[in-house]
């Protein structure tokens, strides 16, 4: 039985039926936009269910895994890409090596980024640059970025990042 037939069977007036029909149509429209199954990609996936990141990504006890089969992280299978999760920048260098460093610039604490064009770490706030090993290559920063150990699983689909 269709919705209209059901409501008619209840003995409701035409105006009442129209009110129900409009309400039903509006709710359907709202539901379809709110339930969008393809959310916009998040460049900074963070950790938690659905992100492909599991574990501790902030603070001093960094210890997490990155599922590179997850759509948030598949770019790490291509040289010259990176993600930021929590306090950590994880990059696949132009040479195909995985590195993980603190995303927090040692100058004034702003977030850094990986630059594939020069295969280094750059802070756009004041122009500091760091090698992929974390060493300062251009100030005003004077201290190296903290680095983390990255291990790749045998099947190449999971990274483990540890302090
Ligand atoms: S905060 Fe990075 S260079 Fe100043």
């Amino acid at each position: 039985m269709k919705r209209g037939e059901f409501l008619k069977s209840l003995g409701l007036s035409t105006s009442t039926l129209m009110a129900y029909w409009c309400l039903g149509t509006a709710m359907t429209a709202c539901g379809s936009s709110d339930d969008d199954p393809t959310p916009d990609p998040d460049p900074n996936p963070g950790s938690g269910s659905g992100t492909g990141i599991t574990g501790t990504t902030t603070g001093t006890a960094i210890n997490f895994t990155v599922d590179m089969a997850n759509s948030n992280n598949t770019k790490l299978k291509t040289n010259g890409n990176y993600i930021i999760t929590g306090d950590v920048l994880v990059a696949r260098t132009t040479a195909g090596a995985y590195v993980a460093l603190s995303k927090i610039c040692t100058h004034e604490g702003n977030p850094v980024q990986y630059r594939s064009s020069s295969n280094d770490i750059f802070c756009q706030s004041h122009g500091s640059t760091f090698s992929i090993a974390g060493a300062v290559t251009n100030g005003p920063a004077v201290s190296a970025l903290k680095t983390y150990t990255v291990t790749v699983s045998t099947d190449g689909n999971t990274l483990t990042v540890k302090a």
Side-chain angles (χ1 to χ4, degrees):
M1 176 182 285
K2 293 182 179 175
R3 181 173 47 194
E5 293 169 344
F6 171 72
L7 293 173
K8 271 187 183 173
S9 74
L10 296 176
L12 299 174
S13 70
T14 304
S15 61
T16 305
L17 288 174
M18 284 305 291
Y20 273 110
W21 183 84
C22 291
L23 179 62
T25 303
M27 290 177 73
T28 301
C30 289
S32 63
S33 63
D34 288 344
D35 298 334
D36 185 353
T38 54
D40 295 338
D42 185 347
N44 303 317
S47 65
S49 177
T51 63
I53 309 284
T54 305
T56 304
T57 60
T58 60
T60 56
I62 297 295
N63 186 354
F64 63 90
T65 59
V66 179
D67 176 7
M68 292 189 290
N70 184 293
S71 60
N72 287 315
N73 311 314
T74 52
K75 60 182 155 184
L76 285 177
K77 289 191 164 191
T78 305
N79 293 357
N81 284 307
Y82 75 103
I83 64 167
I84 288 181
T85 182
D87 292 341
V88 181
L89 180 155
V90 182
R92 179 166 170 154
T93 69
T94 51
Y98 288 104
V99 295
L101 307 97
S102 169
K103 76 165 188 186
I104 302 167
C105 180
T106 56
H107 177 227
E108 290 184 354
N110 293 319
V112 296
Q113 61 194 65
Y114 171 74
R115 292 191 301 191
S116 60
S117 58
S118 46
N119 196 40
D120 65 0
I121 309 296
F122 175 66
C123 180
Q124 62 184 3
S125 295
H126 309 103
S128 290
T129 58
F130 305 84
S131 72
I132 55 171
V136 176
T137 53
N138 187 54
V142 293
S143 301
L145 292 173
K146 182 166 181 49
T147 58
Y148 303 102
T149 302
V150 183
T151 309
V152 187
S153 65
T154 307
D155 65 6
N157 283 326
T158 305
L159 299 179
T160 301
V161 179
K162 288 185 179 176

